[in-house]
Amino acid sequence: MYKISATVSFAAAHNLRGYEGACEQLHGHNWLVKATLATEKLNTVGIAYDFKKLKQKLNDIIDRFDHQFLNQIPPFDQQLNPTSENLAHYIFTELAKKLPPHIQVFSIEVGESHKYTATYQP
Ligand SMILES: [Zn+2]
């Protein structure tokens, strides 16, 4: 199996509903999103999946979050909190829809900084 990864970033604010602590208050992060793809075969050039295409598909997903208040954007505008974990799951699902069948999303890691990350991997 081959795995490749690409990382993109966006800036956005959020607050965590029901969290007892500072994160219940409005605050922002420079979010990091690392996507890892897996495939059994390489193309004729010898690559698993084009990094540029992966970056573009990730940016297509996160562009609507950039410089926004995440709690006002679906699916985080109701009860689902915009936590790193929920963002990772959402981005995983959306990215999987955009890839050819032989390319699997292996995991999505979302970080509020380099120090704190959450990973969704089925
Ligand atoms: Zn936060």
Side-chain angles (χ1 to χ4, degrees):
M1 178 194 294
Y2 300 94
K3 292 197 290 184
I4 65 159
S5 298
T7 302
V8 296
S9 63
F10 65 99
H14 75 162
N15 73 293
L16 300 184
R17 308 170 187 102
Y19 180 93
E20 294 182 7
C23 291
E24 191 172 18
Q25 302 302 317
L26 176 63
H27 63 283
H29 299 289
N30 289 315
W31 301 81
L32 296 166
V33 177
K34 179 181 177 182
T36 300
L37 307 182
T39 185
E40 292 293 335
K41 60 179 184 178
L42 304 180
N43 69 10
T44 55
V45 178
I47 63 172
Y49 193 72
D50 191 324
F51 288 124
K52 285 184 180 176
K53 284 185 185 175
L54 174 54
K55 178 183 160 191
Q56 184 58 55
K57 289 181 188 303
L58 284 170
N59 282 328
D60 287 346
I61 296 167
I62 65 170
D63 271 355
R64 68 193 191 95
F65 296 145
D66 194 31
H67 288 75
Q68 299 296 323
F69 178 30
L70 297 177
N71 295 61
Q72 295 178 337
I73 300 176
F76 306 111
D77 58 335
Q78 303 287 325
Q79 294 177 345
L80 188 67
N81 259 329
T83 60
S84 296
E85 291 86 340
N86 285 335
L87 278 159
H89 185 272
Y90 172 78
I91 293 166
F92 184 102
T93 303
E94 293 303 306
L95 183 59
K97 294 176 190 172
K98 296 174 179 286
L99 294 172
H102 68 284
I103 305 287
Q104 297 172 336
V105 185
F106 184 79
S107 64
I108 299 289
E109 178 182 294
V110 172
E112 299 185 351
S113 72
H114 288 289
K115 293 181 181 175
Y116 305 110
T117 63
T119 302
Y120 177 72
Q121 178 183 331

